[in-house]
């Protein structure tokens, strides 16, 4: 069978039987989507590339744990989302450390501003009001057309939680688009 | 309008997502005012990076392939020498803890002698006399000394 017409499950099976090159086909399918998702989450191109690379390695090393009953894309997005969260935590720790180390209170804000500046066209303030979980929910809903159930399978939460997160994300985004300051409402 | 405000308030304060979800499903789709407060899919897409907008996506395969073939990334099961180290460390820990426990009684006696000798004659805070309280809980090898300014709390 032509590799292009092979399903994700078939390609995973090929990988598990020792054909590492089959994984290249999987990566070709998901590199663009992964990059867009990571870029939306992290707003920094180099960070997004690092996270995508790590996610692809992680997924390959855990292919034997993949449940064929589950959608491969959703499983991959779960891994990618968790890598993004890890990266965000590390970045936050690094910024906090740098601020303490250099004793410059404004450094954190300056460093945080560097990320968005490298991605013109993306207004960082619009997504900044969303929590990582809300951001991921919004990305999956808007870019992938996911339903509450599908978002829940990626975020490993209940569909009702996913739908509530989506409601909050859409509401905050709308308020931001209309120029309202919802940052204070986050607390 | 009051119903919208009530729903909004309940969504904020209800503790269970399932209840919030039910409330949203019950009210929002049929309420034009609340629906208008939600960003449409197109609006969300306008602030998100789309796959088609990416001018070039890095080819991850060369690096990932190299890492996969090197096999370094695979988590190897703990080797026997590592387990030997763990068992030696655990054995040492048991020996140390046992010896500490055996020597516990003399240590308590010695410290009890020390606490019996504890005596506070006079304490001043900011050139003013202060009160001192000495607590010696029974059965605990510890003495607490609480000092406060004279007249404070009165």
């Amino acid at each position: 069978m032509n590799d292009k017409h092979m399903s994700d499950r078939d390609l995973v099976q090929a990988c598990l039987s020792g054909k590492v090159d089959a994984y290249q086909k999987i990566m070709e399918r998901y590199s663009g989507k992964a990059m867009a998702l990571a870029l939306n989450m992290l707003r920094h191109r180099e960070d997004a590339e690092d996270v995508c690379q790590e996610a692809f390695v992680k997924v390959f090393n855990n292919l034997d744990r993949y449940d064929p009953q589950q959608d491969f894309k959703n499983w991959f997005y779960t891994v990618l989302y968790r890598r993004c969260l890890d990266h965000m935590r590390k970045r936050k720790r690094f910024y906090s450390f740098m601020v303490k180390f250099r004793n410059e209170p404004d450094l954190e804000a300056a460093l945080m501003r560097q990320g968005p500046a490298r991605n013109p066209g993306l207004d960082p303030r619009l997504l900044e009001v969303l929590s990582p979980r809300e951001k991921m929910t919004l990305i999956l809903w808007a870019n992938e057309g996911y339903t509450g159930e599908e978002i829940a399978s990626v975020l490993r939460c209940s569909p009702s939680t996913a739908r509530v997160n989506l409601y909050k994300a859409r509401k905050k985004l709308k308020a931001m688009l209309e120029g309202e300051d919802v940052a204070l409402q986050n607390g | 309008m009051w119903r919208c405000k009530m729903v909004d308030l309940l969504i904020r304060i209800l503790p269970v997502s399932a209840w919030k979800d039910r409330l949203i499903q019950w009210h929002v789709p049929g309420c034009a005012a609340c629906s208008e407060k939600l960003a449409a899919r197109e609006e969300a897409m306008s602030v998100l990076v789309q796959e088609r907008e990416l001018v070039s996506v890095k080819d991850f395969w060369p690096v990932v392939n190299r890492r996969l073939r090197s096999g370094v990334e695979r988590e190897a099961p703990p080797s026997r020498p590592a387990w030997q180290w763990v068992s030696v460390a655990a054995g040492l820990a048991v020996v140390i803890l046992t010896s500490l426990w055996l020597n516990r009684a003399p240590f308590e006696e010695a410290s009890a002698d020390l606490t019996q000798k504890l005596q506070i004659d006079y304490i001043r805070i900011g050139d003013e006399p202060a009160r001192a309280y000495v607590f010696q809980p029974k059965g605990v090898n510890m003495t607490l000394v609480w000092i406060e300014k004279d007249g404070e709390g009165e």
Side-chain angles (χ1 to χ4, degrees), chain B residues 57-99:
Chain B
V57 177
K58 182 184 173 184
D59 185 7
F60 298 109
W61 178 242
V63 180
V64 172
N65 185 34
R66 196 166 54 244
R67 285 175 64 175
L68 296 181
R69 288 184 190 279
S70 70
V72 177
E73 302 294 333
R74 282 199 177 274
E75 290 173 13
S79 58
R80 187 168 286 178
W83 279 109
Q84 284 173 355
W85 278 112
V86 169
S87 56
V88 167
L92 277 173
V94 168
V95 170
I96 291 166
L97 288 172
T98 308
S99 58

Side-chain angles (χ1 to χ4, degrees), chain A residues 48-59:
Chain A
E49 285 175 352
D50 287 349
V51 162
C52 287
Q53 195 169 294
E54 290 296 323
F56 279 123
V57 173
K58 184 100 177 167
V59 163

Side-chain angles (χ1 to χ4, degrees), chain B residues 11-12 30 40-41 44 68 70 76 78 97 103 109 111 118 123 126-127 131 136 139 141 146 148 150-151:
Chain B
I11 289 169
R12 283 165 191 262
R41 197 184 297 271
L68 296 181
S70 70
L97 288 172
N103 292 324
E109 284 165 16
S111 57
L118 180 64
I123 288 180
D127 286 328
R131 289 180 183 173
Q136 258 184 295
N141 184 24
W146 176 270
E148 65 181 18
D150 202 8

Side-chain angles (χ1 to χ4, degrees), chain B residues 31-60:
Chain B
C31 176
C34 287
S35 297
E36 274 179 19
K37 287 181 181 173
L38 300 179
R41 197 184 297 271
E42 293 71 30
E43 287 175 312
M45 286 173 78
S46 69
V47 298
L48 294 170
V49 175
Q50 304 297 311
E51 185 186 350
R52 62 176 182 277
E53 290 172 357
L54 297 173
V55 181
S56 63
V57 177
K58 182 184 173 184
D59 185 7
F60 298 109

